[in-house]
Amino acid sequence: MELSRRIENYWDERSENFSKTRRLELDGIDAIAWKNILKKSLPESKNPLKILDIGTGAGFFAAILAKMGHKVVGIDMSSKMLCEAEKNLREMNLSAEFYKMNAQNLNFFADETFDAIVTRNLTWTLPDVKAAYREWRRILKIGGVLMNFDSDYGDKNFLDEKTCSKGEICNKMLVECDFIKNSLAISTKRRPKWDKIFLEDLNFIVRLDEDISHAVHKDSRCFYDSVPLFAIYATK
């Protein structure tokens, strides 16, 4: 419980600056690249899809998907991040539902509720990624797709400028980030290969792209660290 509280507080503290970066991103060239990546891997349907954005943060994916006409539910454990998400979508005249929720416990949703699940920069901060993946599979419809975009931060040091540019994050927050990372079991795994093996054990069909940074990190106005961003596309 103490670790979960520290993770929540960490994202609360980062929410305002994080949101500013995401708004820049939404208004620039990288958002177009993200839209194309999402559209390419979403299930085919004549009707709007029901999509869960896990760890929605400032509502970046929620905004892109809502603009595409889909029905989006965004969840996050940070109340301040959710406030930023609601504000950002309201200002863009877009609609999505947002809930404060733990990504590892989604009992609020019935089995096979969603056509797709998207998540970005989240799983590296989860205390129990295995439990999360099981829950995410449960609420996906047959043929539904999980898209997980994340980085292998486990063996990195956030205070090392060669690894992660500090950007808008102060030293105090980098120290806290390292503490959280070093406390998590997922940090001992090398990813995304570990994720692929575990998801295949859950009977997902998995495709990996081990670095999509070149496609979605082009906007010089935005803060991006130097650790490769991988993509996992897992179909139930």
Side-chain angles (χ1 to χ4, degrees):
M1 183 62 69
E2 172 62 22
L3 181 58
S4 294
R5 174 60 64 182
R6 289 183 74 157
I7 294 170
E8 181 177 348
N9 289 343
Y10 170 80
W11 289 113
D12 276 347
E13 184 72 20
R14 284 194 59 188
S15 60
E16 185 176 355
N17 284 332
F18 187 88
S19 182
K20 289 177 181 177
T21 300
R22 299 290 79 78
R23 282 302 299 263
L24 281 175
E25 200 175 20
L26 280 168
D27 293 333
I29 56 174
D30 291 348
I32 298 171
W34 275 114
K35 177 185 176 181
N36 291 335
I37 286 173
L38 295 172
K39 185 176 181 179
K40 182 178 179 181
S41 296
L42 287 171
E44 292 186 7
S45 175
K46 295 180 180 179
N47 301 314
L49 299 173
K50 189 165 186 179
I51 303 176
L52 181 63
D53 178 14
I54 301 181
T56 189
F60 179 77
F61 278 166
I64 292 175
L65 292 164
K67 192 176 294 186
M68 292 167 64
H70 298 300
K71 298 178 180 178
V72 187
V73 178
I75 67 167
D76 206 289
M77 67 185 302
S78 166
S79 298
K80 291 186 177 181
M81 281 289 193
L82 289 172
C83 288
E84 293 293 332
E86 290 171 346
K87 179 185 70 175
N88 289 334
L89 267 74
R90 184 171 59 250
E91 291 177 353
M92 291 183 281
N93 294 314
L94 297 171
S95 177
E97 298 177 37
F98 293 106
Y99 300 98
K100 181 176 169 61
M101 202 175 297
N102 187 327
Q104 300 163 167
N105 184 355
L106 303 177
N107 290 336
F108 181 79
F109 302 117
D111 294 358
E112 299 184 16
T113 295
F114 295 97
D115 299 291
I117 293 173
V118 296
T119 184
R120 176 188 181 191
N121 195 34
L122 172 74
T123 38
W124 73 273
T125 68
L126 292 180
D128 192 342
V129 178
K130 290 182 177 180
Y133 276 146
R134 292 188 186 102
E135 270 289 83
W136 301 355
R137 186 183 190 282
R138 178 185 67 78
I139 61 175
L140 262 182
K141 296 177 183 178
I142 300 296
V145 62
L146 162 65
M147 287 183 264
N148 181 5
F149 306 96
D150 204 5
S151 298
D152 187 12
Y153 290 121
D155 61 351
K156 307 299 188 297
N157 180 354
F158 287 105
L159 283 168
D160 182 355
E161 293 188 17
K162 294 179 181 178
T163 298
C164 297
S165 173
K166 294 179 182 179
E168 83 271 9
I169 310 175
C170 66
N171 271 10
K172 177 184 175 183
M173 294 302 294
L174 289 170
V175 170
E176 180 67 1
C177 194
D178 269 325
F179 172 85
I180 291 169
K181 171 184 62 68
N182 293 333
S183 302
L184 300 173
I186 190 63
S187 295
T188 66
K189 314 298 183 184
R190 296 286 60 81
R191 308 178 64 206
K193 292 180 181 177
W194 175 88
D195 303 72
K196 183 176 187 293
I197 291 169
F198 186 75
L199 288 167
E200 287 176 340
D201 286 343
L202 294 179
N203 293 319
F204 277 100
I205 299 170
V206 182
R207 175 171 59 90
L208 297 181
D209 190 332
E210 298 204 14
D211 190 0
I212 64 169
S213 305
H214 61 283
V216 295
H217 290 175
K218 293 182 176 180
D219 195 330
S220 60
R221 302 171 304 159
C222 299
F223 160 65
Y224 298 118
D225 62 47
S226 60
V227 182
L229 178 71
F230 62 74
I232 300 171
Y233 307 95
T235 303
K236 180 176 175 179

